[in-house]
Amino acid sequence: MKNLLTITMIGGTALASIMSSPALAIATETPSAQGPNGATLSAMQSQCNSLALAHGPAWSGELDLGSINGSLISGPTQVGGRTIVGEIEGYGDLIPSDPYIAGDPYRTGGSVNMFGDQRASAAWYPHSRYDYTANFTSMFSYAFSCNMSERVRYPATGHHEWRGPSQADPQAAACRQWDLNGIHQGVTLGPCEWVEDDPAHDEDEPRNPEAGVPISETQTDNLMGHEEDGGRFEISGDLFIGKVVVCISPSTSTRRGVPGEWRQQNGYTGNKCTTTWFNVAPWGGGSQTSNGTYISVPPAT
């Protein structure tokens, strides 16, 4: 059960402190992947190199930076200290230290007892809750793929030209036909000369991309958190604890209707637990016209 506490500052500020280790802390923010660090990027490229080497020396693999995708696999887990944000809320049964009764007893409605204001200069709750910021570690898994290519050797290309004295020579037509038929490529035969248009060269041709094995990486983020059970929570100041019975007049006789004697309760040490005071005591709440039966109120002396 949660108790409500009124703190009145007299000559200063009410103080509060937490007196035990946190127990039920959770992050209230979800971290986003910061992206792989340099070491992880290097490990990814190494995988791409290995994938290419498995195809042969003419292959190469290049890490596709746009393919990298990080997903949270564990955490966030708090590390280090906390910075409390906002107010700490104490809850549970409020336990005052050295409580006392302030002022004179008063009546409440038709009760035959008298009440008083219980106060204390210090008290504590067994539990506390609060929001805070702290560093949290999280584990992300980074999936990625490699752009693969293969180096292919292309031969020189060209064509034949007739260099003979007459284009009417029957061999001139045959020279031109060689290119149409794809024969004698790269070869000069007599006046039928091979002319190179494009020298032999290598080209890197793209192949299907291949996925690497995801790599895990830990990152640290400063996040909001919530502590649900921060342990004992102490407060100090001029504290109003609540209204309590301070004077009680129970019936002590076995015969119904015979009143007993006034008794002090809840730390009240004053001398006003009397019927004389009861008859003039101020009201602290409730109806002032509902007087009850007062059968247990001792007679005034």
Side-chain angles (χ1 to χ4, degrees):
M1 180 180 67
K2 176 180 174 183
N3 285 332
L4 298 179
L5 175 67
T6 301
I7 302 178
T8 304
M9 277 74 77
I10 298 180
T13 302
L15 303 177
S17 62
I18 297 176
M19 296 299 292
S20 70
S21 300
L24 300 174
I26 58 170
T28 55
E29 290 184 275
T30 301
S32 299
Q34 297 175 355
N37 59 29
T40 300
L41 290 173
S42 179
M44 290 176 175
Q45 182 58 53
S46 294
Q47 285 196 40
C48 293
N49 295 340
S50 297
L51 289 172
L53 185 60
H55 292 286
W59 282 62
S60 62
E62 187 71 24
L63 172 62
D64 180 2
L65 294 175
S67 70
I68 298 174
N69 181 39
S71 58
L72 181 66
I73 59 174
S74 67
T77 303
Q78 183 194 331
V79 293
R82 300 176 176 180
T83 299
I84 295 176
V85 177
E87 297 182 354
I88 302 171
E89 178 188 0
Y91 67 96
D93 293 329
L94 180 66
I95 302 173
S97 301
D98 299 323
Y100 63 93
I101 304 301
D104 293 328
Y106 51 81
R107 294 170 63 179
T108 299
S111 174
V112 296
N113 299 316
M114 287 187 285
F115 297 79
D117 290 343
Q118 190 178 60
R119 308 188 78 87
S121 60
W124 57 276
Y125 288 103
H127 309 285
S128 62
R129 57 170 70 97
Y130 56 87
D131 295 322
Y132 65 94
T133 59
N135 286 337
F136 288 81
T137 59
S138 305
M139 181 74 74
F140 283 85
S141 177
Y142 288 98
F144 65 98
S145 62
C146 306
N147 291 325
M148 309 298 290
S149 61
E150 181 183 9
R151 176 153 291 190
V152 178
R153 181 71 177 180
Y154 285 90
T157 59
H159 63 282
H160 287 91
E161 290 186 4
W162 177 254
R163 303 298 188 187
S166 172
Q167 293 295 326
D169 190 315
Q171 292 191 14
C175 179
R176 292 188 291 272
Q177 193 66 32
W178 289 349
D179 294 333
L180 296 176
N181 295 333
I183 60 175
H184 303 310
Q185 298 296 292
V187 178
T188 295
L189 293 174
C192 188
E193 182 180 344
W194 173 258
V195 179
E196 187 174 84
D197 296 325
D198 190 12
H201 63 281
D202 295 329
E203 288 187 14
D204 290 328
E205 294 192 351
R207 299 294 183 253
N208 292 331
E210 298 182 20
V213 177
I215 298 176
S216 297
E217 181 181 313
T218 300
Q219 72 180 48
T220 300
D221 300 272
N222 192 261
L223 304 174
M224 286 291 299
H226 177 75
E227 176 60 64
E228 184 58 26
D229 191 359
R232 176 168 165 163
F233 176 54
E234 294 188 350
I235 55 177
S236 63
D238 180 24
L239 311 177
F240 173 72
I241 305 302
K243 294 180 179 182
V244 296
V245 174
V246 296
C247 298
I248 189 170
S249 57
S251 176
T252 59
S253 172
T254 57
R255 291 181 300 154
R256 185 175 180 181
V258 178
E261 297 179 354
W262 286 103
R263 290 191 290 111
Q264 296 166 322
Q265 297 287 309
N266 291 308
Y268 176 64
T269 59
N271 58 4
K272 292 189 175 182
C273 286
T274 66
T275 300
T276 300
W277 177 253
F278 179 87
N279 291 332
V280 298
W283 258 268
S287 172
Q288 296 187 29
T289 60
S290 176
N291 293 327
T293 62
Y294 299 144
I295 192 170
S296 65
V297 176
T301 56

